[in-house]
Amino acid sequence: MKLTTITNVSVDGVMQGLGGPDEDRGDGFERGGWALPLFDDEAETFLGQVYQRADAFLFGRRTYEIFAGYWGAIADPANPIAAALNTRPKYVASTTLTDPQWADTTVLSGDVAAAIGELKAKPAGELQVHGSGALVRWLLDNHLVDELILLTYPVVVGQGTRLFPATGPDTALELVDSQSTSKGVTIHVYRPTGRPQYASATAD
């Protein structure tokens, strides 16, 4: 299966608490809900199509619990996101989650890299990672990501957990597709291509 990560971020890279004021107040975060005023029909349609093409989902524990509490309670089969999440296999990379309540959930607590490698080795399909910033960073560090989708919202949040840390491994990206919505959400699809090239110093 192709492993695709899908992340909603602000212009300054914040991914924490995008959906509501109380979604994630970790580390004193007080600016939750920053994405909703900018989430228009075009962004909703795009994400609905992305969820519908998923064959399975992979989460970190925090995102899994947020999604289970919200999407797991929506039984409307006409909702493309809820329908996909509630009817397809879900995997959680966690050493502390022992009794998941969301149906069709498997906890990956041993050799996570090997377990994900087995999923990726399946001949077809797409394994999607939504949110789960720490997991996304780990997947990139371990060269397990085939495609990244970034939805960047035209807002500077100014605090909160960012997708990428101030220092970390470097990765070159190839732009596969891009579009923007009427409210200024830019959607970029990237493919990792190894380490970046850096210009060497040249004499005048």
Side-chain angles (χ1 to χ4, degrees), residues 91-175:
Y91 299 89
V92 187
S94 174
T95 58
T96 56
L97 182 64
T98 57
D99 186 27
Q101 299 299 306
W102 205 358
D104 207 4
T105 295
T106 301
V107 178
L108 307 179
S109 59
D111 188 337
V112 175
I116 294 173
E118 290 180 7
L119 291 171
K120 283 172 56 64
K122 293 185 177 182
E126 185 170 27
L127 177 64
Q128 292 185 359
V129 182
H130 292 264
S132 308
L135 176 60
V136 170
R137 290 188 289 274
W138 180 86
L139 290 168
L140 283 168
D141 293 349
N142 286 273
H143 311 291
L144 292 169
V145 177
D146 298 304
E147 199 166 85
L148 296 91
I149 299 176
L150 292 182
L151 289 87
T152 304
Y153 293 70
V155 60
V156 174
V157 177
Q159 66 168 212
T161 302
R162 287 164 170 78
L163 175 57
F164 297 110
T167 59
D170 51 357
T171 304
L173 302 173
E174 174 190 356
L175 182 64

Side-chain angles (χ1 to χ4, degrees), residues 7-115:
T7 314
N8 297 272
V9 296
S10 63
V11 166
D12 55 335
V14 174
M15 60 179 300
Q16 183 174 359
L18 71 156
D22 297 316
E23 180 181 274
D24 182 359
R25 290 186 175 270
D27 298 322
F29 184 65
E30 298 177 341
R31 299 175 183 176
W34 49 267
L36 287 185
L38 300 164
F39 188 73
D40 53 24
D41 291 343
E42 295 162 87
E44 182 178 10
T45 298
F46 174 82
L47 279 178
Q49 293 170 344
V50 168
Y51 274 91
Q52 282 297 301
R53 75 180 193 221
D55 293 274
F57 297 96
L58 173 65
F59 296 102
R61 175 165 183 170
R62 177 176 288 187
T63 300
Y64 172 80
E65 291 180 335
I66 291 172
F67 274 47
Y70 183 79
W71 295 110
I74 298 177
D76 181 5
N79 185 306
I81 296 177
L85 287 167
N86 286 315
T87 59
R88 294 169 197 174
K90 292 166 283 291
Y91 299 89
V92 187
S94 174
T95 58
T96 56
L97 182 64
T98 57
D99 186 27
Q101 299 299 306
W102 205 358
D104 207 4
T105 295
T106 301
V107 178
L108 307 179
S109 59
D111 188 337
V112 175

Side-chain angles (χ1 to χ4, degrees), residues 179-201:
Q179 58 184 284
S180 61
T181 73
S182 58
K183 288 192 175 181
V185 178
T186 57
I187 303 168
H188 293 91
V189 181
Y190 296 103
R191 185 177 298 124
T193 59
R195 291 200 62 199
Q197 295 181 353
Y198 295 97
S200 58

